Amino acid sequence: MANQKTATKPLAGLRVLDFTHAAAGPFASMFLADLGAEVIKIEKPKGGDGSRNMGVPMAMLGPKDSDYYVSLNRNKRNIVIDLGQPEGVALARELVPQCDIVLENFRPDVMGRLGLGFDDLKALRPGLVYASISAFGSTGPWATRPANDIIMQSVSGLMGITGEVGGGPVRIGAPISDYTSGLFMLSGVLAALFARDQHPEGQHVQVAMLDASLNLMCNYITSTATLGVKVQRMGRGHAQIVPYQAFLCLDGEYLMIGAFTRGFWQSLCRALGHEEWITDPKYATNPARLANRAELIGKLEAIFATKTRDEWSEIITRADVPNSPVYELHDAVHSEQVVHNGSLMTVGKGEQAVKVARNPIRVQAWGEDRAEPVRAMGADTRQVLRELLGKDDAAIEALVATNVVGTNQSSHD
């Protein structure tokens, strides 16, 4: 059995030059860092990563740290380079040969215009894995449009299938297009690393947020794109499965029921005292229940309104049918299973300790999760320039003096 304190993370020894900002890219680079890669995050001098100013300020960490930023940037080193200056671009190019992976999520024309595109950098580092997240793709009529998560949710159809019956489209509460794009980027990078020996010329991994968002609806897309089926908004329900939704109980709380197989449906019927529904031609199969949705859901709503959520949960759990309370987030993070799983972890110490979502990938041989708190802007600039590029103090101070790079004076060099 591997010693957890000395176990080697699977990506140890790999170095990432991370130009990403906001959410999609940093989500991917955070997991690369969790898995052992050395991630060097580059921020611009003025304001840094825009997510530092999103969300709730975390005053205990400093004036430029929000919960949004903190949640996405653990385990990363931080340097400040002004890519608006030719000297800053030249410095970034100097760092590339020392890195295995380059990540970026600017509009498609930005990195190439700076001389930092894949074609510019692949000659500097044989076998380079260069990963790009764009909104709509690298080419096409919308390629250079500005966009973000809410634009992706709206244009992909995600919002279009979300909302109450007969109501308008509703944004999914989490920035799901951002995070899904980041996970696809992570998958692409890991696959490219696996295939690196076969591609000495380097590889350009590209993920369009539009494509990633569409993939989240693959169960609907086949009939929609092939047969022209229009997916209706179903609120707490599901357009393809009945019953697969939340029901209001006697105490005003909701219980989610997921009877998505014939067996679960039959067990639910018995638990509710309506075994006759098992053979009723209107309810016996899922297509029949879809055709008679309104009638069946009305009956189920009346039944669930007769007992409290906990009472029904106990009954239905005994019947081994998928069910759960519908938690608000502030309740979900304290549920007994979340606590048991250790789904959250603490980064930082003392007054600067904060809770973040823990990497859900667990492999005992890799040892304990890394939990280094976010770094101040420029905290590692001097160290990185010394260690990777061999620059002496005079050269570094010259770069600082001309604002090509930025440092954090309180950091420990």
Side-chain angles (χ1 to χ4, degrees):
M1 182 180 293
N3 185 315
Q4 286 198 338
K5 292 185 178 179
T6 60
T8 301
K9 295 288 184 182
L11 300 187
L14 294 175
R15 184 176 290 127
V16 180
L17 196 59
D18 182 12
F19 292 92
T20 67
H21 57 283
F27 196 60
S29 61
M30 177 179 70
F31 288 123
L32 290 172
D34 285 349
L35 295 173
E38 177 190 350
V39 175
I40 300 173
K41 182 179 179 70
I42 296 177
E43 294 196 56
K44 59 185 179 182
K46 294 183 179 180
D49 186 329
S51 69
R52 286 183 179 273
N53 298 309
M54 298 179 190
V56 178
M58 304 296 286
M60 77 284 281
L61 301 178
K64 292 185 178 180
D65 290 311
S66 68
D67 59 345
Y68 209 111
Y69 181 87
V70 169
S71 70
L72 295 168
N73 289 286
R74 62 175 178 257
N75 296 326
K76 302 176 186 180
R77 305 179 80 180
N78 190 291
I79 65 175
V80 171
I81 299 179
D82 185 358
L83 298 178
Q85 297 192 51
E87 296 85 352
V89 172
L91 195 61
R93 289 174 61 89
E94 280 189 67
L95 289 168
V96 171
Q98 310 301 320
C99 299
D100 303 276
I101 304 162
V102 169
L103 307 182
E104 63 91 11
N105 63 336
F106 293 103
R107 296 192 213 185
D109 59 335
V110 172
M111 292 292 275
R113 192 171 66 242
L114 291 172
L116 296 171
F118 173 61
D119 290 335
D120 302 303
L121 301 186
K122 64 182 181 180
L124 302 178
R125 174 61 168 91
L128 178 69
V129 174
Y130 188 106
S132 302
I133 293 180
S134 63
F136 300 106
S138 60
T139 60
W142 296 354
T144 59
R145 287 189 184 184
N148 49 26
D149 177 84
I150 201 166
I151 300 302
M152 288 301 108
Q153 287 198 36
S154 63
V155 77
S156 67
L158 271 171
M159 283 180 62
I161 66 170
T162 306
E164 292 298 329
V165 178
V170 174
R171 173 188 173 270
I172 297 169
I176 196 162
S177 292
D178 273 332
Y179 294 159
T180 299
S181 301
L183 289 177
F184 276 117
M185 184 188 203
L186 175 66
S187 299
V189 168
L190 294 176
L193 289 171
F194 185 80
R196 186 162 57 165
D197 291 344
Q198 302 165 24
H199 296 278
E201 75 284 4
Q203 301 164 82
H204 189 186
V205 178
Q206 300 186 65
V207 173
M209 293 177 68
L210 176 61
D211 298 342
S213 301
L214 285 167
N215 266 273
L216 291 176
M217 297 172 289
C218 60
N219 56 306
Y220 295 124
I221 283 176
T222 299
S223 59
T224 297
T226 308
L227 305 176
V229 172
K230 294 183 179 180
V231 181
Q232 302 299 314
R233 288 186 281 276
M234 288 295 164
R236 299 187 300 274
H238 194 288
Q240 296 172 317
I241 307 169
V242 177
Y244 199 83
Q245 69 179 71
F247 292 94
L248 185 64
C249 299
L250 180 63
D251 55 354
E253 301 291 346
Y254 284 94
L255 183 71
M256 182 64 73
I257 302 295
F260 62 95
T261 68
R262 181 185 294 268
F264 285 141
W265 164 244
Q266 293 177 353
S267 295
L268 179 64
C269 292
R270 296 186 185 100
L272 297 179
H274 284 276
E275 195 165 347
E276 74 278 6
W277 288 349
I278 294 174
T279 55
D280 188 326
K282 293 191 297 183
Y283 307 142
T285 66
N286 188 63
R289 293 192 295 277
L290 284 169
N292 296 282
R293 177 196 294 270
E295 178 183 297
L296 176 58
I297 294 302
K299 291 180 178 180
L300 290 171
E301 287 176 335
I303 291 170
F304 280 104
T306 64
K307 297 182 187 294
T308 68
R309 180 183 71 185
D310 290 346
E311 288 172 333
W312 276 124
S313 183
E314 182 178 352
I315 292 168
I316 294 171
T317 298
R318 283 202 305 266
D320 197 34
V321 175
N323 74 96
S324 69
V326 178
Y327 283 144
E328 300 291 339
L329 180 58
H330 55 266
D331 294 320
V333 296
H334 298 298
S335 75
E336 58 184 356
Q337 192 64 47
V338 165
V339 172
H340 171 82
N341 287 357
S343 303
L344 308 183
M345 69 178 185
T346 301
V347 296
K349 298 179 180 179
E351 294 181 354
Q352 294 188 321
V354 298
K355 295 282 189 181
V356 298
R358 182 180 171 191
N359 189 327
I361 301 170
R362 312 288 172 84
V363 180
Q364 188 176 32
W366 299 349
E368 298 175 358
D369 288 336
R370 301 175 66 191
E372 298 174 12
V374 295
R375 302 283 283 163
M377 283 181 58
D380 302 293
T381 301
R382 288 189 171 91
Q383 273 191 322
V384 168
L385 297 184
R386 279 200 295 261
E387 293 173 8
L388 272 61
L389 303 183
K391 295 191 180 296
D392 59 24
D393 290 344
I396 293 172
E397 293 311 316
L399 291 169
V400 173
T402 54
N403 296 316
V404 173
V405 302
T407 65
N408 181 275
Q409 295 301 322
S410 63
S411 65
H412 298 289
D413 293 333

